[in-house]
Amino acid sequence: MKDCELSAPSQERQLRQPGGGQTGSGCVGPTSVSQTPRRGQICSAGADSREGNNSPEESGDLVTEVGALDPSGKPKRSKKRRRRRQGAGRQVVGLPPAPSAAAPVLLWFRRDLRLCDNPALTAALEVGAPVIPIFIWSPEEEEGPAGVTVATGGACKYWLHQALSCLCASLERNGSHLVFLRSAEAGGEGGSSLQTLKELVKETGARTVMANALYEPWLKDRDHAAAVALWKSGVECKMFHSYCLRDPYSVRTEGVGLRGIGSVSHFLSCCRQNPGPALGAPLEPPTALPVPAHWPRGAPLEALGLARMPRRKDGTTVDWAASIRKSWDFSEEGAHARLEAFLGDGVYRYDKESGRADAPNTSCVSPYLHFGQLSPRWVLWDAKAARCRPPKFQRKLAWRDLAYWQLSLFPELPWESLRPPYKALRWSSDRRHLKAWQRGGTGYPLVDAAMRQLWLTGWMNNYMRHVVASFLIAYLHLPWQEGYRWFQVRNGCRGDTGQDTLVDADVAIDAMMWQNGGMCGLDHWNFVMHPVDAAMTCDPDGSYVRKWCPELSGLPDELIHKPWKCPASVLRRAGVVLGQTYPERIVTDLEERRSRSLRDVALVRKQFGQYVDERSGCDLLPLPPRLVSEALGSSPQGGVEAAGGRPFLLPLITRMEFKHQQGDPDADAASNPYNAVLKGYVSRKRDEAVAFLHERDFTASVMQEGARRRERMESDQRRLEGLPRASEPRGRARRTPTAKDRFSVVPGGAVTPAR
């Protein structure tokens, strides 16, 4: 127990402790009598408050104490609550009135940089104590076991810097501010963030730490270790669920089974069969935050080094983020404005034209979701409240949760192929091809435009990500890890700020998509995007290529996606010189490279036949203990194995062309009836619609000719027999097809001629 007294003769505030200056059990505060009490401690200034006088109870001094926390985390009841209430209004002469004398709450911001729908913020305000918002930058802890970074590359760090600046401004408008801290080198249990939290607890006297949970396995382990260590020291640490719609560690397969695992349909079935807590309505932002009496020492935002720019030899700065600043609004208000703009316009074209690269038909909210400036619950709530509610857009949120569920099941997802045979695939090691792909110099305009957009703005839509991934894996034969690293992981390319290019570099989503595109994930996509034919779907007029590859802007629409087929006169008039103003194609025979890729897959599947189901031809995957325990109802720590000590193997979704290629490994891609190379989603549907209409029109014309022939024969027969002409059939007249007839309109604007 500590006595806080004011010495009248010297007018110095000193902290005195009975019994030789030793602090009582469970007390937090200075232990030296020469130290100054923290701002906000309430002391009495009566004539009897002298050293050596009566006890604090007899002298009327106010005793400020912090109750110890029991193992349940609840504060013990104090026997002097009445005296504290009576002395709460007393103020020390010369000290400003403290906003609050209660122990503050540390609100730990991570990837939840928002005020709207923030469960941790709402819970901190419900405590009724001062709230100290903090942000701890610890890049060493963000990296996974294999150095897989979450937000430690150039583009992500720059967005994080801008988002933190906007969040700090929002907190200042509410009367508070954000304390920035950079942790020291990791050491001890829980890592460097734990050491920083312990120092903050010691400095502020906080008894509660609140944060929103993160679901990367290494970050979840870090948070658990920190919570246990803080609990042992008497500090309660509470984590709240808000980063995903469904907690990935609570998803179970009971009642659904494991068939089809990896697909979003299977994931949704698991969520419906084993529902979790109700989502509820989004939380409104606060209007004011209670401030503490004493703010901890922090560092300026610039000291975190998030927006560091490299310098040239002459001392000038390389402002590589200028295009990113022009393309995005980094504030929480900008996130809501972009979502509202999409729900008011682009959502009407999202279902059928979300793959268009030349039109703003996508929401572009993925960076805001990654850094928590928008909560997925808020996005889902607004999407359901919009006038147009496309299921495809809402399904994207399920894909996001599916990615984190896969990461929780397979922590090695970002760096190791899940399907065992594909770990032995023969990949190319041509660094020249990789560099050309990274910098947008492949000679294929659609791929180059997408990679240049990524480099300048840090983003591209989902369809274009499929295009560039298919080109890297299926046509350049480069491993999917190279694409993942370029999108996500720092390798020291942009000066010393990192090599990643995506501003929404989400480790779970990127790893799942690159694994699936690299043929080794839980789901096999039954398509490969052709770099030329796909352009007819996503950029039919060439406006997207003209924007990001301006050297090709003079080419005609029908040849802009294949400049190597342009006549010399057309190239000369457009000012294009292949190999000089625009690069030559780095690979020319795409069909041959696709055939070689299929042969390589057939070879490894034959080599690792124990991981291929003989009956169905599907790939087999060793199941993690968590899924086996759910299927068998046993404990995951027991190391469940099949008979003979072998792991349980599960058939996975496998591409049909791989199954067919297994029977004839030397066949080329063109002869495979299940060839996965597509022109694109929209063009494939358009071709199917055209074929259907042609077949329907041919059948209708034959039927019409037969009916007219019968009518002529009946008319001739009646005339020969001297009978009157048959009367016209009553009722609605035959309708002539027009341009508004939905059965006569072909997707793309073509109209069948009226017959």
Side-chain angles (χ1 to χ4, degrees):
M1 185 175 296
K2 303 187 293 291
D3 293 349
C4 185
E5 301 177 341
L6 179 66
S7 177
S10 61
Q11 294 296 317
E12 294 178 354
R13 295 182 296 275
Q14 295 181 343
L15 188 66
R16 301 194 178 275
Q17 302 175 9
Q22 299 296 326
T23 57
S25 174
C27 296
V28 177
T31 58
S32 173
V33 296
S34 62
Q35 288 179 306
T36 303
R38 291 188 298 271
R39 178 185 176 188
Q41 289 180 324
I42 303 175
C43 308
S44 62
D48 295 333
S49 58
R50 298 287 189 270
E51 184 177 358
N53 276 2
N54 297 332
S55 64
E57 289 82 357
E58 297 174 355
S59 63
D61 293 342
L62 176 65
V63 178
T64 304
E65 68 174 7
V66 180
L69 296 180
D70 59 8
S72 64
K74 298 180 180 179
K76 294 182 178 179
R77 290 181 176 271
S78 173
K79 298 180 180 180
K80 305 179 180 63
R81 289 181 298 172
R82 182 177 179 181
R83 297 184 63 86
R84 286 204 303 268
R85 287 197 300 267
Q86 292 175 352
R90 303 183 185 180
Q91 299 293 336
V92 178
V93 178
L95 284 179
S100 177
V105 176
L106 296 181
L107 179 60
W108 187 9
F109 281 98
R110 286 100 70 84
R111 290 207 301 274
D112 52 345
L113 308 180
R114 64 181 183 273
L115 300 183
C116 295
D117 195 24
N118 193 322
L121 173 59
T122 303
L125 294 176
E126 290 176 352
V127 175
V131 178
I132 302 179
I134 62 172
F135 177 82
I136 303 175
W137 175 240
S138 179
E140 295 82 5
E141 295 178 348
E142 296 286 345
E143 298 183 4
V148 180
T149 58
V150 177
T152 56
C156 266
K157 285 170 62 176
Y158 189 81
W159 186 291
L160 179 60
H161 176 91
Q162 300 294 336
L164 287 172
S165 177
C166 295
L167 176 63
C168 188
S170 299
L171 290 172
E172 289 176 354
R173 289 194 294 269
N174 286 270
S176 182
H177 75 271
L178 186 60
V179 179
F180 301 106
L181 299 162
R182 185 181 179 93
S183 61
E185 292 295 329
E189 184 182 6
S192 55
S193 293
L194 174 59
Q195 301 301 325
T196 306
L197 288 173
K198 286 183 176 180
E199 294 174 2
L200 281 173
V201 168
K202 183 178 180 180
E203 182 180 358
T204 62
R207 277 291 172 259
T208 307
V209 177
M210 294 187 178
N212 291 311
L214 298 176
Y215 299 120
E216 288 82 0
W218 50 92
L219 295 181
K220 184 177 177 63
D221 294 342
R222 185 271 311 267
D223 292 345
H224 176 72
V228 171
L230 290 174
W231 176 80
K232 290 180 179 179
S233 61
V235 179
E236 186 179 13
C237 186
K238 296 182 179 180
M239 294 290 173
F240 298 87
H241 165 68
S242 73
Y243 195 69
C244 297
L245 290 175
R246 180 71 182 268
D247 186 349
Y249 292 88
S250 67
V251 178
R252 303 184 64 84
T253 60
E254 296 176 358
V256 180
L258 300 177
R259 285 283 183 176
I261 188 172
S263 65
V264 70
S265 301
H266 176 270
F267 177 76
L268 290 175
S269 299
C270 293
C271 294
R272 284 191 293 265
Q273 188 69 21
N274 304 282
L279 284 177
L283 304 173
E284 293 296 329
T287 57
L289 274 74
V291 296
H294 170 71
W295 283 98
R297 294 184 301 272
L301 177 58
E302 291 73 16
L304 303 184
L306 297 174
R308 188 178 303 162
M309 299 292 174
R311 290 185 176 274
R312 300 184 180 93
K313 293 182 179 180
D314 57 359
T316 58
T317 301
V318 180
D319 188 8
W320 55 264
S323 299
I324 296 180
R325 286 196 303 271
K326 295 178 182 178
S327 305
W328 299 96
D329 183 351
F330 303 97
S331 65
E332 183 180 356
E333 294 78 9
H336 288 277
R338 191 175 286 265
L339 177 61
E340 292 176 3
F342 168 73
L343 295 178
D345 180 36
V347 70
Y348 294 94
R349 302 180 298 274
Y350 186 82
D351 269 356
K352 295 183 178 180
E353 298 184 4
S354 61
R356 291 291 292 266
D358 57 345
N361 298 333
T362 54
S363 62
C364 302
V365 297
S366 55
Y368 302 106
L369 282 171
H370 172 65
F371 288 100
Q373 295 167 286
L374 277 177
S375 70
R377 179 169 63 175
W378 191 286
V379 174
L380 181 63
W381 191 271
D382 279 6
K384 288 187 174 181
R387 178 175 297 180
C388 179
R389 299 183 292 272
K392 182 178 178 180
F393 177 68
Q394 300 178 23
R395 202 176 179 90
K396 293 296 183 182
L397 296 175
W399 275 103
R400 185 172 181 268
D401 285 16
L402 170 63
Y404 276 93
W405 183 51
Q406 290 189 16
L407 184 62
S408 68
L409 294 174
F410 303 94
E412 69 278 7
L413 185 70
W415 60 84
E416 185 177 353
S417 300
L418 296 185
R419 305 194 185 207
Y422 299 85
K423 298 178 183 179
L425 266 177
R426 182 179 57 185
W427 297 105
S428 172
S429 58
D430 194 335
R431 308 301 297 181
R432 181 179 60 89
H433 286 177
L434 177 62
K435 186 175 181 180
W437 177 82
Q438 292 173 343
R439 298 307 177 95
T442 64
Y444 290 89
L446 184 65
V447 177
D448 294 344
M451 297 305 294
R452 294 182 189 184
Q453 180 192 15
L454 174 65
W455 178 258
L456 292 175
T457 67
W459 187 86
M460 68 173 75
N461 69 19
N462 187 54
Y463 189 91
M464 299 310 302
R465 299 187 194 199
H466 285 310
V467 171
V468 299
S470 295
F471 188 80
L472 178 75
I473 297 168
Y475 296 109
L476 297 184
H477 296 168
L478 291 170
W480 64 269
Q481 289 92 340
E482 294 291 350
Y484 175 81
R485 293 190 189 101
W486 181 250
F487 274 34
Q488 175 110 12
V489 182
R490 62 175 180 180
N491 277 335
C493 179
R494 289 184 171 182
D496 57 352
T497 58
Q499 181 177 334
D500 74 316
T501 50
L502 276 179
V503 293
D504 60 347
D506 195 294
V507 61
I509 300 174
D510 286 348
M512 181 190 71
M513 303 297 271
W514 276 105
Q515 286 251 18
N516 291 343
M519 306 170 291
C520 53
L522 292 184
D523 190 10
H524 260 181
W525 291 334
N526 199 29
F527 60 84
V528 174
M529 295 297 183
H530 193 278
V532 177
D533 294 336
M536 305 306 172
T537 294
C538 62
D539 188 29
D541 300 329
S543 57
Y544 177 74
V545 169
R546 289 187 177 92
K547 179 179 180 180
W548 300 108
C549 299
E551 63 269 27
L552 301 178
S553 58
L555 295 180
D557 295 350
E558 61 272 11
L559 295 174
I560 191 171
H561 293 293
K562 37 191 174 183
W564 56 90
K565 290 189 176 182
C566 288
S569 59
V570 176
L571 293 175
R572 186 168 54 253
R573 285 195 299 268
V576 177
V577 180
L578 296 181
Q580 297 182 14
T581 61
Y582 185 74
E584 294 274 6
R585 291 177 294 169
I586 57 177
V587 291
T588 55
D589 194 347
L590 299 181
E591 293 298 329
E592 188 276 333
R593 299 188 73 87
R594 268 283 296 152
S595 300
R596 193 174 73 181
S597 177
L598 287 180
R599 289 194 293 268
D600 291 344
V601 171
L603 180 63
V604 296
R605 281 168 55 86
K606 183 178 180 180
Q607 182 180 357
F608 294 88
Q610 68 272 25
Y611 292 107
V612 178
D613 188 15
E614 297 180 359
R615 182 177 180 181
S616 63
C618 295
D619 294 331
L620 298 176
L621 174 72
L623 288 180
R626 176 177 159 190
L627 289 180
V628 177
S629 62
E630 290 180 8
L632 301 181
S634 58
S635 173
Q637 287 79 15
V640 184
E641 293 181 346
R646 295 173 300 177
F648 283 93
L649 300 178
L650 176 70
L652 296 179
I653 302 171
T654 306
R655 194 181 291 177
M656 288 297 299
E657 67 173 350
F658 292 167
K659 298 180 182 180
H660 183 271
Q661 194 77 15
Q662 193 73 13
D664 188 7
D666 297 330
D668 57 356
S671 62
N672 195 318
Y674 302 101
N675 191 353
V677 178
L678 299 178
K679 297 178 181 179
Y681 299 119
V682 179
S683 62
R684 178 181 62 177
K685 294 180 179 179
R686 180 184 300 136
D687 293 343
E688 293 174 353
V690 169
F692 167 75
L693 292 175
H694 286 171
E695 182 180 359
R696 188 208 65 182
D697 291 345
F698 176 77
T699 305
S701 62
V702 172
M703 294 174 61
Q704 186 178 20
E705 290 179 2
R708 289 181 178 178
R709 186 182 302 110
R710 286 194 298 271
E711 290 177 359
R712 288 195 300 268
M713 293 177 61
E714 291 178 0
S715 177
D716 294 343
Q717 185 68 24
R718 295 180 69 88
R719 189 170 58 252
L720 290 176
E721 295 179 359
L723 298 176
R725 296 182 58 182
S727 59
E728 294 292 337
R730 295 183 178 181
R732 187 175 180 181
R734 180 178 299 173
R735 184 169 61 89
T736 303
T738 62
K740 296 183 179 180
D741 189 350
R742 66 187 185 94
F743 292 106
S744 300
V745 178
V746 180
V751 180
T752 58
R755 300 186 184 278

